Amino acid sequence: MPSLKDLRNRIASVKATQKITKAMQMVAAAKLRRAQVAAEAARPYAEKMEAVLANLAGGVSGADAPKLLAGNGRDQVQLLIVCTAERGLCGAFNASIVRLARERINSLLADGKSVKILCVGKKGYEQLKRQYEKHIIDVVDLRGFKQVGYDNADGIGKRVIAMFEAGEFDVATLFYSRFKSVIAQIPTAQKLIPAEIPAGGAAVSYEYEPSEGDILAALLPRNVSVQVFRALLENAASEQGARMSAMDNATRNAGEMIKKQTQKYNRSRQAMITKELIEIISGAEAL
């Protein structure tokens, strides 16, 4: 049975941890608002980009379609771009993205496909390297940036396009977590190359000058960067939401633990006082 000193030290330790989790919850709440606004502002632009591409795609076909839209006709080599956080203590946020990516990897390997993994974020790399280290081609480290910007996404997008043009892969898929609310983040897999065109296309027909093919050749590389940027912003909001929820749960759990340990401490202290009183009374009666 722990001594009273051990119980006091344990209670003090849990109280110190509770202060840390409460502070982290408040910081995450402050960051969440800014990240949520950025993610929601990026959605209309990315969705409109997809709508424009859908309209343009209706005017090209066959050999006229750019490779970024139509692909190269193969799907043997698959590139998986797994976007996660650089830090932990955010509940199941990183694990849920990695789980979705792992399911896709296992499915592709079972079908005899070749898999290459590009990790964006340290936590995804740490979890995937245990089982798929030989498939990981590189890790993009964003820890040095206080806030992720379009330049970061554009660098990743240009690298992916350069790899595709060099014939290093046939299909690219982007993995990230779409922000829904503080308690709900949805792991998402989005095909990046060839571009995933919404079903049905646009309802209005336009005439383009220059031709649809020329415009697509200019827009498709930008679309890759836009979709990566959208994924990074969605991830940033999802990470802060998950961290806020996780730290809130940790703070409440610490409070419950403090309550239980305090009750245990009081019972032990009362038992010791009672024992000492019994010894005193017994000694007095013996005299």
Side-chain angles (χ1 to χ4, degrees), residues 195-214:
E196 200 168 36
I197 302 301
V204 182
S205 178
Y206 299 94
E207 292 185 2
Y208 293 95
E209 178 66 33
S211 66
E212 287 90 342
D214 293 336

Side-chain angles (χ1 to χ4, degrees), residues 78-85 93-94 96-108 115-121 124 128 171-178 186-192 227-228 230-232 234-235:
Q78 302 267 345
L79 175 67
L80 275 58
I81 308 165
V82 184
C83 300
T84 56
F93 167 72
N94 293 309
S96 60
I97 299 173
V98 171
R99 187 184 304 113
L100 181 63
R102 187 181 286 116
E103 291 173 357
R104 180 66 62 87
I105 294 169
N106 291 335
S107 175
L108 291 172
V115 175
K116 295 182 179 181
I117 305 171
L118 176 62
C119 295
V120 181
L128 289 171
V171 178
T173 307
L174 183 65
F175 292 84
Y176 64 97
S177 185
R178 184 165 59 85
I186 305 172
T188 303
Q190 178 183 350
K191 186 181 288 187
L192 204 59
Q227 299 304 329
V228 172
R230 176 190 185 182
L232 294 179
E234 294 280 353
N235 258 12

Side-chain angles (χ1 to χ4, degrees), residues 85 87-94 238-240 242-244 246-247:
R87 299 172 181 83
L89 297 177
C90 48
F93 167 72
N94 293 309
S238 297
E239 177 189 354
Q240 298 304 331
R243 178 171 290 115
M244 179 180 170
M247 291 301 102

Side-chain angles (χ1 to χ4, degrees), residues 13-284:
S13 176
V14 176
K15 284 183 177 179
T17 302
Q18 187 183 40
K19 289 180 181 179
I20 295 172
T21 57
K22 184 63 177 178
M24 291 185 67
Q25 178 191 351
M26 295 174 67
V27 171
K31 291 183 177 179
L32 172 61
R33 182 57 185 166
R34 184 169 63 248
Q36 182 179 352
V37 169
E40 291 175 349
R43 287 175 186 171
Y45 184 82
E47 291 169 358
K48 183 57 68 174
M49 175 74 82
E50 291 177 345
V52 171
L53 290 176
N55 193 297
L56 288 165
V60 296
S61 60
D64 296 332
K67 285 188 176 181
L68 288 176
L69 176 63
N72 55 16
R74 302 186 300 271
D75 63 351
Q76 179 60 32
V77 183
Q78 302 267 345
L79 175 67
L80 275 58
I81 308 165
V82 184
C83 300
T84 56
E86 298 288 352
R87 299 172 181 83
L89 297 177
C90 48
F93 167 72
N94 293 309
S96 60
I97 299 173
V98 171
R99 187 184 304 113
L100 181 63
R102 187 181 286 116
E103 291 173 357
R104 180 66 62 87
I105 294 169
N106 291 335
S107 175
L108 291 172
L109 292 176
D111 291 339
K113 309 294 184 182
S114 298
V115 175
K116 295 182 179 181
I117 305 171
L118 176 62
C119 295
V120 181
K122 185 180 72 171
K123 288 301 176 180
Y125 169 71
E126 289 177 350
Q127 295 185 43
L128 289 171
K129 74 174 182 179
R130 303 168 190 167
Q131 190 175 357
Y132 310 106
E133 187 171 10
K134 65 179 182 179
H135 297 284
I136 298 175
I137 59 175
D138 201 4
V139 183
V140 179
D141 190 346
L142 300 176
R143 281 176 293 178
F145 300 94
K146 186 176 181 180
Q147 187 172 356
V148 176
Y150 179 76
D151 290 341
N152 304 109
D154 193 37
I156 298 171
K158 287 179 178 178
R159 177 175 180 180
V160 171
I161 292 172
M163 292 174 61
F164 179 70
E165 291 176 346
E168 296 182 24
F169 67 87
D170 302 319
V171 178
T173 307
L174 183 65
F175 292 84
Y176 64 97
S177 185
R178 184 165 59 85
F179 178 80
K180 185 176 181 181
S181 68
V182 174
I183 59 174
Q185 300 85 36
I186 305 172
T188 303
Q190 178 183 350
K191 186 181 288 187
L192 204 59
I193 299 176
E196 200 168 36
I197 302 301
V204 182
S205 178
Y206 299 94
E207 292 185 2
Y208 293 95
E209 178 66 33
S211 66
E212 287 90 342
D214 293 336
I215 299 175
L216 279 172
L219 280 185
L220 285 169
R222 180 180 291 273
N223 179 62
V224 173
S225 298
V226 167
Q227 299 304 329
V228 172
F229 185 45
R230 176 190 185 182
L232 294 179
L233 292 178
E234 294 280 353
N235 258 12
S238 297
E239 177 189 354
Q240 298 304 331
R243 178 171 290 115
M244 179 180 170
S245 179
M247 291 301 102
D248 178 55
N249 291 334
T251 301
R252 286 189 281 104
N253 291 339
E256 293 176 2
M257 185 176 293
I258 290 170
K259 182 179 179 180
K260 290 180 181 179
Q261 292 298 323
T262 301
Q263 290 175 347
K264 189 174 182 181
Y265 171 79
N266 291 335
R267 290 194 186 103
S268 298
R269 184 169 175 270
Q270 188 63 46
M272 291 184 66
I273 293 172
T274 303
K275 181 181 178 182
E276 291 174 357
L277 287 173
I278 292 173
E279 290 175 352
I280 293 171
I281 294 170
S282 299

